[in-house]
């Protein structure tokens, strides 16, 4: 196998590039026992090597939830953890957590790559447990994973409540601990969850306490599990019909532009 060959589509113009690292993590003592896993075996295919590297990374760093490992060139591999990219040397002696930029165009190649890797099948996103706001005549929908106690989520919700161009589907999730879980539970079990949600986020009016005997929190728990499967690392995280995502309390004009394109 010729390991000097650039095999990733994004790497066809990698003659000049650099990594701007936000953090360099060196753990030679810990990584040494599995460093040999990064060495290609004679006659091994790229697919087999990547599969083996993924197993090695996942075994050593289970908290990283490795989704994929892609060989970029003779020395470098890309590790996708759902919400970020890491770059590791195939010796296994170090890896970098940072952004990769093109010196030719200045483009953030890591962000471009993440957009591809994080794409979802929008139509496959469930509606069960979601809170939906329908706008008459609107043909597009934006799905949002939101924690009710998240300040950025509250700011975005206030803007979304004013717009009249696209539908909004909210997935209430409790990322900020037990208090968020109680609020999510109470809102989800409210007879008018869509009203209770915006009253809490926009007007800071708590929902009525739910009856534990009558309220099933399974949907809320399922949505939290779904968010983890999708690599949602923070709230709000927005998904658009083209499968792409955006994170944070973005200006409503930016959300509108992406939603309607």
């Amino acid at each position: 196998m010729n390991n000097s060959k650039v095999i990733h589509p994004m790497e066809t113009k990698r003659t000049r590039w650099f990594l701007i690292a936000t953090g360099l993590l060196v753990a030679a003592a810990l990584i040494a026992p599995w460093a040999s896993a990064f060495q290609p075996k004679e006659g091994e295919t790229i697919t087999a090597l990547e599969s083996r590297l993924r197993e090695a990374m996942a075994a050593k760093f289970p908290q990283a939830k490795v989704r994929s490992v892609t060989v970029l060139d003779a020395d470098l591999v890309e590790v996708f953890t759902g919400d970020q990219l890491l770059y590791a040397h195939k010796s296994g002696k170090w890896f970098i957590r940072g952004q990769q930029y093109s010196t030719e165009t200045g483009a953030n190649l890591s962000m471009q790559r993440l957009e591809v890797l994080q794409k979802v099948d929008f139509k496959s996103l469930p509606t069960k447990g979601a809170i939906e706001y329908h706008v008459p005549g609107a043909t597009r929908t934006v799905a949002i994973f939101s924690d009710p106690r998240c300040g950025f989520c509250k700011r975005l919700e206030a803007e979304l409540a004013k717009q009249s161009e696209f539908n909004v589907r909210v997935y209430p999730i409790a990322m900020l601990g037990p208090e968020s879980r109680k609020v999510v539970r109470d809102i989800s079990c409210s007879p008018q969850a869509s009203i209770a949600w915006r009253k809490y986020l926009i007007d800071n009016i708590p929902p009525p306490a739910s009856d534990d005997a009558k309220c099933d929190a399974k949907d809320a728990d399922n949505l939290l599990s779904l968010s983890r499967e999708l690599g949602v690392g923070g709230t709000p995280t927005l998904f658009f019909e083209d499968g792409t995502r955006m994170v944070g309390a973005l200006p409503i004009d930016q959300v509108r532009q992406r939603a309607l394109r």
Side-chain angles (χ1 to χ4, degrees):
M1 179 177 67
N2 181 5
N3 286 314
S4 64
K5 181 180 179 181
V6 177
I7 62 167
H8 195 281
M10 194 177 73
E11 303 303 314
T12 56
K13 296 183 178 179
R14 285 180 50 86
T15 54
R16 294 185 298 148
W17 61 271
F18 61 89
L19 295 175
I20 296 181
T22 57
L24 177 62
L25 306 179
V26 181
L30 291 175
I31 299 176
W34 59 283
S36 60
F38 280 77
Q39 301 305 320
K41 297 177 180 179
E42 184 177 356
E44 185 175 35
T45 65
I46 290 295
T47 301
L49 174 60
E50 290 174 353
S51 178
R52 190 157 53 83
L53 297 186
R54 175 176 175 170
E55 291 177 5
M57 290 290 291
K60 192 61 186 178
F61 301 105
Q63 72 278 8
K65 297 180 180 178
V66 176
R67 302 294 183 88
S68 69
V69 174
T70 304
V71 177
L72 299 181
D73 60 23
D75 299 310
L76 197 66
V77 296
E78 169 199 277
V79 182
F80 174 52
T81 64
D83 61 348
Q84 66 175 318
L85 289 175
L86 305 175
Y87 300 96
H89 191 270
K90 287 200 299 187
S91 67
K93 293 181 179 179
W94 56 261
F95 66 91
I96 295 173
R97 182 172 58 196
Q99 302 294 309
Q100 180 187 160
Y101 291 82
S102 167
T103 56
E104 296 177 351
T105 65
N108 187 324
L109 301 179
S110 295
M111 292 301 294
Q112 291 177 0
R113 177 68 173 145
L114 267 178
E115 186 166 304
V116 172
L117 290 171
Q118 291 182 326
K119 269 197 170 184
V120 301
D121 178 2
F122 190 87
K123 292 181 179 179
S124 72
L125 294 178
T127 57
K128 186 173 176 57
I131 297 172
E132 301 200 66
Y133 300 94
H134 295 284
V135 173
T139 60
R140 301 293 183 86
T141 298
V142 176
I144 305 170
F145 284 83
S146 185
D147 185 301
R149 296 178 60 248
C150 154
F152 290 125
C153 300
K154 294 180 179 182
R155 186 188 309 171
L156 178 61
E157 195 68 43
E159 293 297 319
L160 291 171
K162 299 173 186 176
Q163 67 83 30
S164 59
E165 295 176 88
F166 53 87
N167 303 313
V168 175
R169 182 192 304 162
V170 177
Y171 294 108
I173 58 174
M175 295 193 74
L176 300 179
E179 290 185 37
S180 288
R181 191 176 190 281
K182 182 180 186 308
V183 175
V184 168
R185 179 188 178 93
D186 290 344
I187 290 176
S188 298
C189 292
S190 170
Q192 294 181 303
S194 61
I195 294 176
W197 176 261
R198 284 191 166 165
K199 276 189 175 181
Y200 184 82
L201 269 74
I202 298 174
D203 302 319
N204 203 30
I205 298 175
S210 58
D211 184 342
D212 290 345
K214 298 179 180 180
C215 180
D216 184 359
K218 187 178 297 183
D219 285 345
D221 292 338
N222 288 341
L223 292 180
L224 183 58
S225 296
L226 174 63
S227 72
R228 290 167 178 162
E229 291 174 11
L230 295 174
V232 173
T235 55
T237 294
L238 297 79
F239 288 88
F240 301 90
E241 290 189 359
D242 63 359
T244 60
R245 72 179 73 188
M246 298 174 75
V247 181
L250 304 161
I252 192 61
D253 288 342
Q254 191 173 347
V255 176
R256 182 184 294 108
Q257 182 180 19
R258 178 69 70 90
L260 302 179
R261 70 179 182 179

